[in-house]
Amino acid sequence: MENPEERAWRAEFPITERLLYLNNCSLTPLHRRSEAALAEYARTWSELGGRAWFDHWLGVLEEVRAGFAHVLGADAEEIALEPAVSAALVTAASTFDYARRPKVVIADIDFPTDGHTWLALASRGVEVEFVRSPDRINVPLELFERAVDERTALVCTGHVYYTSGAIQDVRGLAEICHRKGAALVVDAYQSIGALEFDVHDSGVDFLVGGTLKWLMGGPGMAFLYARKDRIAAARPTALGWWAMENPFDFDVQHLDLAGNARRFEYGTPAIAAAYTARAGLALLDEVGIATVRGRHMTLSQRLVDGAHEQGWTVRCPTDARRRTPIVTLEHPDPSVAVASLRQNGVICDYRPGLIRLSPHYFNTLGEMDRALGFLAQLRVAPAIV
Ligand SMILES: Cc1ncc(COP(=O)(O)O)c(C=O)c1O
């Protein structure tokens, strides 16, 4: 049975009344605060039209920027608001000089965008080298150490790998990169909001994330963190008028870049997304990342232990301290398995060869046991040879 705290958490997420939702590392479902925030956004737009920019919306954007900074332990000056992580990576990538250092190092288990951003720069001389994950779960630091050399401009990799939930040692990686004169760009989409993290302490140069997942703010709002000492010298070529010091001067003839991380921004942001992002950040702040982390460890460990008992091959770190709540199970036909789970009201996802389950703090141990009950019927016994 749910305890009172769980009941209050679940009351925020209407989906929990109907479905056993285990796809939070893809998209956390809509909660009541974001729903109310959308109504509030519509009201300001309807009542004020363009005046809403100055009476409300510009202020909301600054609150979102401050919220991202708070979660990261960054200064608001170091945060650019972005429409997607992919756009954030493109503007960061546009600041490097690849003439002397053309090489970019990425892991072969990174999210596709982390590779595409630099593969698209091949015509400008960028050479991408993929570090191979030996177990498809994580990448040992020694492999990055071997790949980074005097021709390397940067490493771009995940803080948490999206199919395995494995946590990368980004501090160790920053030390390797900087010792060799390279930069570190981190894709923190799968870690931000799920792990306590101090971006200054990590030493990373650029870091990207957004609100789809553990920040619980829905699609349309992302960020780029740029370490303070990298901002003044950065000359992004992927930008727009919101990157100017005073965008509302409407000066088409001069490029007067903002003195802070706003210089990495593009054009008019999606304000509906800013409202839901602000609501998600506020909810996370109230629950607390430490509480979320504790729940993730407890709930996902129940799934891992139960899956082991049923004989599944688990493709994520089995120790909860080394992963987020992403639990992946090998299956020869995961799309069929996931469709069958969906018919039983269990929402999860698949990646090639894997069923991927990701509980969040509002899920319960009872739900993990129910999901395991359905999984038991889907396990395919290995062929006897
Ligand atoms: C690690 C990681 N990076 C990037 C993305 C996608 O970012 P966007 O669609 O905002 O570009 C995702 C998930 O959607 C992800 O898991």
Side-chain angles (χ1 to χ4, degrees), residues 212-236:
L212 282 171
K213 308 167 195 300
W214 312 116
L215 297 184
M216 303 187 284
M221 190 53 70
F223 65 84
L224 169 69
Y225 157 84
R227 211 181 55 221
K228 201 168 278 163
D229 59 350
R230 292 203 69 109
I231 295 174
R235 293 284 173 276

Side-chain angles (χ1 to χ4, degrees), residues 148-273:
V148 178
D149 58 21
E150 70 294 341
R151 295 180 71 250
T152 306
L154 64 112
V155 171
C156 174
T157 197
H159 185 190
V160 164
Y161 293 109
Y162 77 110
T163 48
S164 68
I167 302 168
Q168 180 55 277
D169 173 7
V170 289
R171 195 158 179 241
L173 201 48
E175 191 280 313
I176 291 170
C177 292
H178 296 159
R179 178 159 38 81
K180 300 188 178 203
L184 176 61
V185 180
V186 168
D187 180 346
Y189 219 145
Q190 287 295 348
S191 64
I192 201 71
L195 300 177
E196 288 183 290
F197 179 64
D198 182 329
V199 77
H200 288 155
D201 181 58
S202 77
V204 309
D205 299 271
F206 293 101
L207 181 137
V208 295
T211 54
L212 282 171
K213 308 167 195 300
W214 312 116
L215 297 184
M216 303 187 284
M221 190 53 70
F223 65 84
L224 169 69
Y225 157 84
R227 211 181 55 221
K228 201 168 278 163
D229 59 350
R230 292 203 69 109
I231 295 174
R235 293 284 173 276
T237 58
L239 51 72
W241 66 294
W242 281 57
M244 298 304 110
E245 183 64 28
N246 295 305
F248 297 106
D249 283 354
F250 296 101
D251 178 357
V252 68
Q253 298 191 54
H254 299 98
L255 195 67
D256 181 20
L257 295 178
N260 54 28
R262 277 203 307 102
R263 68 175 49 196
F264 300 100
E265 294 187 0
Y266 294 87
T268 311
I271 299 300

Side-chain angles (χ1 to χ4, degrees), residues 42-224:
R43 188 189 63 74
T44 57
W45 185 12
S46 171
E47 285 180 7
L48 299 166
R51 183 69 220 168
W53 282 111
F54 303 98
D55 289 0
H56 296 282
W57 297 352
L58 293 177
V60 171
L61 290 171
E62 289 320 304
E63 284 179 51
V64 172
R65 190 190 308 280
F68 287 144
H70 175 65
V71 170
L72 291 167
D75 301 332
E77 297 285 290
E78 297 171 299
I79 305 293
L81 300 181
E82 304 286 341
V85 152
S86 301
L89 285 173
V90 168
T91 183
S94 77
T95 64
F96 287 89
D97 174 6
Y98 301 101
R100 272 193 325 108
R101 287 177 172 258
K103 193 163 122 183
V104 172
V105 176
I106 294 155
D108 69 347
I109 55 169
D110 272 314
F111 191 82
T113 268
D114 301 331
H116 300 160
T117 303
W118 278 276
L119 289 170
L121 294 174
S123 60
R124 300 199 203 143
V126 173
E127 301 162 17
V128 178
E129 181 175 319
F130 288 96
V131 173
R132 309 275 162 210
S133 163
D135 56 5
R136 315 296 300 153
I137 293 176
N138 210 341
V139 185
L141 284 187
E142 308 85 80
L143 299 187
F144 281 110
E145 171 94 49
R146 233 177 277 159
V148 178
D149 58 21
E150 70 294 341
R151 295 180 71 250
T152 306
L154 64 112
V155 171
C156 174
T157 197
H159 185 190
V160 164
Y161 293 109
Y162 77 110
T163 48
S164 68
I167 302 168
Q168 180 55 277
D169 173 7
V170 289
R171 195 158 179 241
L173 201 48
E175 191 280 313
I176 291 170
C177 292
H178 296 159
R179 178 159 38 81
K180 300 188 178 203
L184 176 61
V185 180
V186 168
D187 180 346
Y189 219 145
Q190 287 295 348
S191 64
I192 201 71
L195 300 177
E196 288 183 290
F197 179 64
D198 182 329
V199 77
H200 288 155
D201 181 58
S202 77
V204 309
D205 299 271
F206 293 101
L207 181 137
V208 295
T211 54
L212 282 171
K213 308 167 195 300
W214 312 116
L215 297 184
M216 303 187 284
M221 190 53 70
F223 65 84
L224 169 69

